[in-house]
Amino acid sequence: MNSHDFSVHTVQFSDVDEQASMLTGWQQEYQQLGSGRFVGALSTVQTEEFSFIRESTNTALHERIMPPPDQVVIGICDTSVEGHLLNGRPLTRDLLIVLDGSRAHHIRTTGPIELLGLSVPRELFLSQLHEQDHASLRKWLDLSVMQIDAGAASMLRQYFSLASDLLQHPADGPARSFSPRALASTAISNVALALSLQQGRHELEATLPSRQRRERIVHNAIDYMRQHAGDEIGILDVCRATHVSRRTLQYCFEERLDISPLQYLKALRLNAAHREIKRRNVQEGVCDRQDTIGNLAALCGFNHPSRFASEYKKMFGVLPSETALQVTRN
C-alpha cells in the first residue's frame, strides 16, 4: 500500500458492542447508559500510516477507549447536546481532542454526538510541530481536551468532514487528485497551529495529580464492579476495594462520568446481561429462553427476573427474550 492507496469502510450499527469492536488495533468497551435502542455509524479511511475516523452514536454511553500504543489521535466533535465528558473534562464543539495511545480514555456522552478524528503515528505528529512545541506535547496529552478559538474549531470540523467525504466518495468529487497523506498532513499542520496559538493558556499547576488520582479511583472501581458484577456487592464494597469514602467515590464518578456509582453498577450489569444473552444464543441456539434469562438475571446480580426484564427493556428498548429471539433469527 503506497501513500495514495487507502481502504474505506462505512457501517451502520444497531448493536453497541459491534460498533465498539470495529476499529482495528483499538481496545474499546462501550456501556449503554441511556434508554432506548442504540443506533450508530462508523466510517474509516485507512492508509498504511494513519486513519480518518468518523463515528456517531445516538444515546448516552460510557466509552472506555485505548488507541494503538504508537498513535496520537487528534479530533473534534459535532453535537448540539450538552454534558459530554472526556476524561472528566467537558467536551464541546470548540474543544480540540488530543489522545495518547499509551493509556485508556473515558468518554461519557449524554446523547447524540459525532466524533471526527485522525489517528496518526506519534513521530509523524511530532514532525509537524515546531521544536518549541515538543515540550508542550506531554501537557496537551495530559489535558486530552483543549479550548481553542471558535473559528479555528469550526475550520477544523469542516476540514475533517470534507477530507472524510472526499476520501469516502471518490466518484462524487476529485478525491483521487488528493493524496490521503497530503490531506492528513494538512490536518496535522492546522492542529499544530491551533495548539501553538494556545501556548501558555492552559496551566496544569497542582491540580493534575489530584485529577489523576480521581481518574485512578474511577478506573479501579469500574474494574472491581466488572469482576464482581454477578456477586451481591453494594457501593460500600466498592468503597472498601478502592480505599475511599462513599462521598469521595460519588464525587469522582459524578465528575468523571456524570453518573453515580450505583447507577453505573446497574448499567454495567445490564450491559453484561445484554452481551451474555447474545453470546449464549449464538453458541447454544434455541433453548428454554425464560429459564436461561431467569438464571442470567441472577448471575448478573438481579434477584427478581421481572424487575430485571423491566430495567432491561427501559435500557435497550426490548425485552431480554426479544434480544434472544433476534439473535436466533440472525
Side-chain angles (χ1 to χ4, degrees):
M1 183 182 288
N2 62 43
S3 63
H4 289 270
D5 291 333
F6 56 93
S7 60
V8 178
H9 299 281
T10 301
V11 187
Q12 306 285 329
F13 296 94
S14 59
D15 186 285
V16 69
D17 296 318
E18 289 182 9
Q19 182 157 334
S21 67
M22 282 300 292
L23 283 177
T24 303
W26 292 54
Q27 298 179 37
Q28 300 196 122
E29 183 179 276
Y30 292 2
Q31 307 287 351
Q32 182 171 331
L33 304 178
S35 302
R37 293 174 184 261
F38 173 80
V39 178
L42 179 66
S43 298
T44 60
V45 179
Q46 183 71 50
T47 77
E48 193 171 17
E49 290 183 301
F50 58 83
S51 57
F52 282 97
I53 302 165
R54 188 173 195 168
E55 180 181 49
S56 63
T57 53
N58 73 320
T59 190
L61 301 173
H62 169 220
E63 305 177 13
R64 183 184 182 277
I65 64 173
M66 184 179 288
D70 63 336
Q71 300 278 302
V72 169
V73 180
I74 49 179
I76 204 155
C77 79
D78 195 4
T79 181
S80 59
V81 178
E82 296 182 350
H84 305 300
L85 298 171
L86 171 55
N87 292 336
R89 297 179 182 273
L91 179 59
T92 66
R93 300 178 83 240
D94 293 340
L95 288 171
L96 180 68
I97 300 167
V98 186
L99 301 182
D100 189 0
S102 65
R103 66 187 179 102
H105 304 274
H106 296 268
I107 299 178
R108 165 66 160 101
T109 67
T110 56
I113 188 171
E114 181 176 61
L115 295 168
L116 301 138
L118 178 65
S119 179
V120 298
R122 188 180 287 101
E123 292 305 314
L124 178 60
F125 183 61
L126 284 170
S127 71
Q128 301 292 318
L129 298 178
H130 295 293
E131 273 189 39
Q132 60 265 34
D133 292 331
H134 283 205
S136 301
L137 179 61
R138 184 73 261 166
K139 180 179 72 174
W140 299 333
L141 293 174
D142 283 332
L143 287 167
S144 301
V145 288
M146 294 183 61
Q147 183 74 44
I148 58 175
D149 178 77
S154 177
M155 179 272 294
L156 287 173
R157 193 162 39 250
Q158 291 176 25
Y159 184 84
F160 276 121
S161 180
L162 175 62
S164 179
D165 286 342
L166 281 173
L167 293 171
Q168 287 181 57
H169 306 289
D172 301 331
R176 288 296 179 181
S177 65
F178 290 90
S179 159
R181 184 185 175 100
L183 289 172
S185 294
T186 302
I188 297 169
S189 297
N190 288 333
V191 167
L193 177 61
L195 289 171
S196 182
L197 291 173
Q198 295 304 118
Q199 189 76 280
R201 299 188 189 180
H202 300 275
E203 296 298 332
L204 297 181
E205 298 176 347
T207 62
L208 187 57
S210 179
R211 292 187 65 87
Q212 289 176 332
R213 179 173 179 269
R214 296 197 292 271
E215 183 177 346
R216 283 196 300 271
I217 289 169
V218 173
H219 175 79
N220 293 339
I222 290 174
D223 277 353
Y224 178 82
M225 290 178 185
R226 187 184 289 112
Q227 293 167 13
H228 298 275
D231 301 333
E232 292 187 10
I233 63 167
I235 297 307
L236 290 179
D237 297 299
V238 182
C239 290
R240 281 191 287 269
T242 52
H243 309 289
V244 297
S245 68
R246 185 167 189 156
R247 181 179 179 183
T248 297
L249 188 70
Q250 181 88 9
Y251 175 80
C252 290
F253 266 79
E254 289 181 351
E255 181 206 40
R256 306 294 296 183
L257 300 175
D258 193 29
I259 191 172
S260 73
L262 188 60
Q263 289 173 312
Y264 190 88
L265 177 59
K266 183 174 77 171
L268 186 144
R269 284 170 163 164
L270 288 169
N271 279 271
H274 185 62
R275 296 185 186 104
E276 186 64 13
I277 290 171
K278 292 183 294 181
R279 186 192 68 79
R280 289 188 179 192
N281 278 268
V282 167
Q283 292 184 353
E284 302 170 12
V286 178
C287 56
D288 186 341
R289 293 192 186 93
Q290 292 304 320
D291 177 63
T292 300
I293 290 167
N295 291 336
L296 184 60
L299 286 174
C300 292
F302 290 89
N303 295 324
H304 303 287
S306 59
R307 180 166 172 251
F308 165 68
S310 175
E311 294 285 356
Y312 186 98
K313 184 172 184 180
K314 182 179 177 182
M315 174 72 78
F316 300 109
V318 293
L319 290 167
S321 57
E322 293 176 297
T323 297
L325 187 60
Q326 288 172 359
V327 173
T328 302
R329 285 174 175 170
N330 292 336

